Amino acid sequence: MIVFFLLISQVLFVLFAEHLTYKDSVGSNKELLFMGCNLLIVACIAGTEVWLHSRRQYRKHAVVTCGFMMSYLMYFLIEPFVDGAQMILMLPIMVSLVYFDRRLLYALGFFSVVFYAGIYFGMERELLHKPLLEFLLVECVFVVFVLLTQAVIIRIKEAQESLEQLTKSEQGLLVERAISDKLLKIDALTGLYNHKTFHEYLDLLLEQCESNGLRLQLALVDIDNFKHVNDTYGHWVGDLVLKEVASKIGGMIGLNDFAARYGGEEFAIIFTDKALKESYSYAEELRMSIAEMEHPYAGGKPITVSVGLFNYEPGLGKELMFRKTDNALYKAKKEGKNIVVTAQTSQAEEYLMSIV
């Protein structure tokens, strides 16, 4: 865009030059100067674009070099005709502001001061007879511009750090909120979901069953003779048993299943997207795995569980489902414990479970 406006200004200058009064200090070679500088500017930009699109390394260096060359080429174009043309030499320093790089700013500022001193004493003082005071003024402008740019970069860095701290604090709040939500949903002793969360999740799944035909089975798992464990070995042993049984349950259920501590020594498991036969196999494997666990702190005696399992059918409702599952669990307890009993709702299911 800078080059575009520069070319437009040159066209306007050529069209209306005869009506302007200016100091021609370059002589008869000004046409060659115009053409040469413009061609070099276009070549500089084209070369930089090719570099940026073809190579991934040293992109910043390419942009800085292009900016520095363009600024001095433009300076040689407009300097004989425009007072204060030295301002275009600030372009390289502005590049450092684009990258927010203070080291680059100091390097470009120092190089600009030194390079312009060479331009002044090597050309401007002899050819254009510019006073020393103007040179000192331009050099002071360089220094002031560097200081202002440094202040902008520092302020941007401060704003960036403030934004990062704000982001971290927000992330911390999100983590704390997630932990709080988890604590509200998780049973503190067993690490499984609590009673309230279980019912919330079950209600959602029952809606899916009614609307989309999702297959669902509910299992109630009760630790056998748990009161005897507490009375004989103490409640701290009972807590250990609860933790170990809960850990076994959580580790054996599928990814789409849901386990919770329903209350006391009773656990609830929701099997989803499974046939009744498959859920029964899961429950039976879980029962046997718990029976094989060792509990040296409880006298080395095995801890067993009884399981009641029910296959939900659309239209039955939540209350009937719990009643049938609880009846199946009661039947398992009555028939000797350490077994899985399925609540039958049809002759087809009864036949299915007889062949498992």
Side-chain angles (χ1 to χ4, degrees):
M1 292 183 64
I2 294 175
V3 174
F4 172 76
F5 285 113
L6 178 67
L7 293 175
I8 292 297
S9 64
Q10 291 182 56
V11 170
L12 295 175
F13 177 80
V14 171
L15 293 177
F16 300 102
E18 59 184 11
H19 302 292
L20 301 175
T21 302
Y22 61 91
K23 179 176 58 177
D24 188 354
S25 57
V26 182
S28 61
N29 295 326
K30 60 178 179 296
E31 291 83 1
L32 294 178
L33 176 64
F34 268 67
M35 293 179 60
C37 288
N38 284 317
L39 289 175
L40 286 175
I41 290 173
V42 173
C44 181
I45 293 179
T48 305
E49 287 291 339
V50 171
W51 182 280
L52 294 177
H53 286 84
S54 61
R55 296 179 179 272
R56 296 184 177 181
Q57 293 182 336
Y58 306 112
R59 289 188 170 187
K60 184 190 299 186
H61 301 78
V63 174
V64 170
T65 303
C66 176
F68 192 85
M69 294 178 62
M70 282 179 54
S71 65
Y72 276 91
L73 289 171
M74 293 178 186
Y75 175 65
F76 291 142
L77 279 174
I78 66 177
E79 198 279 334
F81 316 108
V82 179
D83 292 330
Q86 294 90 344
M87 295 301 102
I88 196 66
L89 302 181
M90 304 298 173
L91 181 61
I93 301 177
M94 295 177 63
V95 174
S96 61
L97 184 59
V98 175
Y99 289 106
F100 307 126
D101 191 334
R102 294 175 65 180
R103 293 173 56 187
L104 181 63
L105 169 65
Y106 299 147
L108 290 175
F110 176 78
F111 189 74
S112 296
V113 170
V114 175
F115 195 82
Y116 179 70
I119 294 294
Y120 173 79
F121 289 105
M123 184 186 71
E124 291 184 344
R125 187 179 179 87
E126 299 296 330
L127 297 179
L128 304 179
H129 308 290
K130 286 196 173 185
L132 182 63
L133 182 61
E134 182 176 347
F135 163 72
L136 295 176
L137 179 62
V138 173
E139 294 286 37
C140 289
V141 171
F142 274 129
V143 174
V144 171
F145 194 78
V146 168
L147 294 177
L148 291 175
T149 306
Q150 173 188 260
V152 173
I153 293 176
I154 292 175
R155 184 67 188 94
I156 291 174
K157 292 290 186 180
E158 292 176 351
Q160 183 179 7
E161 292 176 358
S162 177
L163 181 60
E164 290 177 354
Q165 292 178 357
L166 180 61
T167 303
K168 289 180 180 178
S169 63
E170 290 181 351
Q171 290 176 347
L173 291 176
L174 290 175
V175 171
E176 291 178 1
R177 183 175 180 180
I179 293 174
S180 299
D181 291 342
K182 184 177 180 181
L183 291 176
L184 292 175
K185 295 180 178 180
I186 298 297
D187 177 69
L189 178 63
T190 62
L192 298 179
Y193 288 102
N194 56 29
H195 183 95
K196 179 177 179 292
T197 306
F198 167 78
H199 279 284
E200 291 175 351
Y201 188 67
L202 180 60
D203 290 337
L204 294 175
L205 290 177
L206 289 177
E207 291 180 5
Q208 293 297 318
C209 289
E210 301 295 343
S211 59
N212 301 324
L214 175 70
R215 294 182 295 180
L216 183 148
Q217 294 84 34
L218 173 63
L220 293 178
V221 182
D222 189 83
I223 300 177
D224 298 327
N225 305 314
F226 186 72
K227 184 177 183 302
H228 176 73
V229 174
N230 279 334
D231 294 342
T232 304
Y233 304 104
H235 288 279
W236 70 275
V237 173
D239 288 346
L240 289 177
V241 171
L242 286 172
K243 288 181 180 180
E244 292 183 350
V245 172
S247 177
K248 180 65 69 174
I249 293 174
M252 293 190 64
I253 61 173
L255 294 176
N256 296 327
D257 302 331
F258 186 92
R261 184 186 181 188
Y262 196 71
E265 69 273 18
E266 191 172 350
F267 302 90
I269 304 174
I270 303 174
F271 297 104
T272 61
D273 202 25
K274 293 181 176 65
L276 177 59
K277 182 177 180 179
E278 186 178 359
S279 296
Y280 182 87
S281 298
Y282 266 95
E284 183 65 21
E285 183 181 358
L286 175 63
R287 179 195 64 79
M288 293 187 294
S289 297
I290 293 175
E292 293 172 356
M293 295 171 60
E294 296 182 356
H295 306 278
Y297 44 82
K301 296 179 181 180
I303 301 295
T304 62
V305 295
S306 298
V307 183
L309 180 66
F310 176 70
N311 183 56
Y312 181 79
E313 292 181 353
L316 292 178
K318 182 178 179 181
E319 182 180 352
L320 183 58
M321 176 184 64
F322 267 96
R323 193 191 328 163
K324 285 185 171 290
T325 309
D326 198 54
N327 289 339
L329 177 61
Y330 177 78
K331 186 178 180 180
K333 292 284 189 179
K334 189 176 179 180
E335 292 183 358
K337 304 176 182 179
N338 193 25
I339 58 174
V340 178
V341 173
T342 303
Q344 310 298 335
T345 59
S346 67
Q347 292 182 353
E349 290 178 354
E350 186 174 1
Y351 171 76
L352 177 62
M353 295 312 305
S354 66
I355 63 176
V356 173

